[in-house]
Amino acid sequence: TRLTSLSLANNDFTGTFPQEILQSCPLLEFANFEVSQWTGTLPTEVGRLSHLRTLHRIWPLFCFFCFCVLRVSLNRLSGSVPSELGACTNLTILTFGQNQFTGTLPSTLANLTQLEVLYSTDNAMEIGDLPSFIWNMTTLEYLGLGKLEVTGSIPTHVGQLRKLTQLHLQGNDFLRTTIPSELGQLTNLTSLSLELNRLGGSIPSTLGNLHRLRTFHLEVNQLTGNLPTEFGQLKSLRTLMIWGNRLEGIIPQQVCNLWDGNLTRLADPRCTAIAYGGLQCLNRPCCHECPTYPVISEPQGSNRP
């Protein structure tokens, strides 16, 4: 068949993934199978879709002018992610998150040197250490590897992904490892999710370089120390979630001043005892989200930071 564009997204289809489509439509330029209820494995025939191309694709977070798209997220697919995907060397968008895939990311994905979006969050995979080939994918603009049983640490090589605008590594197990200061090199980031990872140590001051950051999630880790005063430079920040940590000291005035800009959320909305990650409030305006949260009386003659 000469079919070049096919979207079966947002339906209530059931049964196994339609392998016959991949076999009989080798000229597909656009394929979208998201938000249905396909089951079974993703067929190895996906490697035949080397012609996948599209001129324009809109999805909830971005508008892309891209050249190759394969989207199978939000189904019930299982088994391993087929290594044959590495044959689709024109891919720029690859999403297979929120399925039931197991195993790890195939090393053949290293062949996808034009990839701009990789979304595999929320599968039943056990990745272990983050694959080293990811840090060579310098064309990536979106990387979603949340809830994949990633262990080990966040490598310093993450600083090589200078085009990233969104990085989501939440819900893994970086037990007591620290946040690499090299994250501060990703100055195009608008969204950074590191919550629910058991990360320890202090928060690097270099993250104050992320001037485009709008959403930053650090909640439910084991972070210590205080918020860097450099966070006061994050003028675009709207959400900074820090609750559920082991931070100490007083929220820096530079951070409190962000309320005069775009900041709309800082505390745990439940206003628990760890609503500010263990930090204390110097004045009520800084902690106005939680009216009953204790406020320290400013000592006479003290100079605010």
Side-chain angles (χ1 to χ4, degrees):
T1 176
R2 297 190 178 189
L3 188 66
T4 60
S5 181
L6 176 64
S7 177
L8 298 178
N10 296 287
N11 283 291
D12 293 322
F13 294 126
T14 58
T16 57
F17 190 85
Q19 178 177 336
E20 295 80 5
I21 293 177
L22 304 184
Q23 292 174 334
S24 59
C25 303
L27 299 180
L28 273 180
E29 299 176 1
F30 174 85
N32 189 347
F33 302 102
E34 287 191 322
V35 198
S36 292
Q37 300 183 47
W38 303 114
T39 57
T41 61
L42 184 61
T44 58
E45 284 81 2
V46 69
R48 298 180 182 180
L49 303 180
S50 57
H51 294 283
L52 276 176
R53 294 183 181 275
T54 185
L55 294 176
H56 189 214
R57 170 64 182 145
I58 298 175
W59 69 324
L61 297 179
F62 299 99
C63 176
F64 286 101
F65 290 87
C66 48
F67 296 100
C68 194
V69 174
L70 177 62
R71 298 169 62 85
V72 293
S73 295
L74 292 157
N75 283 287
R76 299 178 182 177
L77 299 173
S78 58
S80 299
V81 176
S83 60
E84 287 78 4
L85 275 172
C88 299
T89 54
N90 289 321
L91 272 175
T92 60
I93 297 179
L94 175 59
T95 73
F96 51 88
Q98 294 175 269
N99 280 289
Q100 299 170 19
F101 287 116
T102 55
T104 187
L105 295 175
S107 60
T108 54
L109 296 186
N111 298 331
L112 308 182
T113 57
Q114 301 181 59
L115 204 62
E116 297 175 5
V117 175
L118 176 59
Y119 173 67
S120 61
T121 291
D122 200 3
N123 277 288
M125 306 171 80
E126 296 183 2
I127 298 294
D129 289 339
L130 288 166
S132 59
F133 67 79
I134 289 177
W135 316 121
N136 295 321
M137 291 181 163
T138 55
T139 56
L140 280 175
E141 298 178 11
Y142 180 106
L143 178 59
L145 298 175
K147 301 180 182 179
L148 292 179
E149 296 294 329
V150 176
T151 56
S153 62
I154 303 173
T156 59
H157 301 300
V158 69
Q160 298 173 186
L161 304 182
R162 302 292 181 87
K163 292 186 177 181
L164 277 182
T165 61
Q166 297 213 31
L167 175 59
H168 302 287
L169 298 175
Q170 74 279 6
N172 287 299
D173 192 6
F174 301 117
L175 178 60
R176 294 188 182 89
T177 60
T178 58
I179 300 173
S181 61
E182 287 78 6
L183 274 174
Q185 299 173 15
L186 307 182
T187 54
N188 287 310
L189 279 180
T190 61
S191 180
L192 177 57
S193 299
L194 299 176
E195 70 271 23
L196 295 161
N197 277 316
R198 297 204 285 180
L199 287 163
S202 58
I203 302 171
S205 61
T206 55
L207 299 185
N209 297 328
L210 306 180
H211 297 159
R212 299 182 181 181
L213 202 61
R214 295 196 294 267
T215 304
F216 191 7
H217 285 273
L218 283 171
E219 67 267 25
V220 194
N221 280 295
Q222 299 176 15
L223 299 169
T224 57
N226 202 335
L227 290 178
T229 58
E230 288 82 359
F231 273 26
Q233 302 169 23
L234 304 179
K235 305 299 184 182
S236 299
L237 201 60
R238 298 174 183 172
T239 299
L240 174 60
M241 300 301 288
I242 57 173
W243 57 275
N245 280 289
R246 301 175 179 176
L247 301 173
E248 298 176 323
I250 299 171
I251 299 174
Q253 187 60 41
Q254 291 90 335
V255 174
C256 295
N257 291 342
L258 294 176
W259 286 114
D260 297 329
N262 294 307
L263 190 65
T264 60
R265 176 173 291 184
L266 180 60
D268 176 1
R270 297 170 297 179
C271 289
T272 63
I274 53 173
Y276 294 95
L279 295 178
Q280 297 175 300
C281 285
L282 186 62
N283 55 66
R284 178 58 60 200
C286 190
C287 300
H288 67 271
E289 296 169 285
C290 298
T292 61
Y293 199 81
V295 174
I296 297 176
S297 297
E298 186 174 0
Q300 292 293 326
S302 67
N303 293 318
R304 287 188 176 183

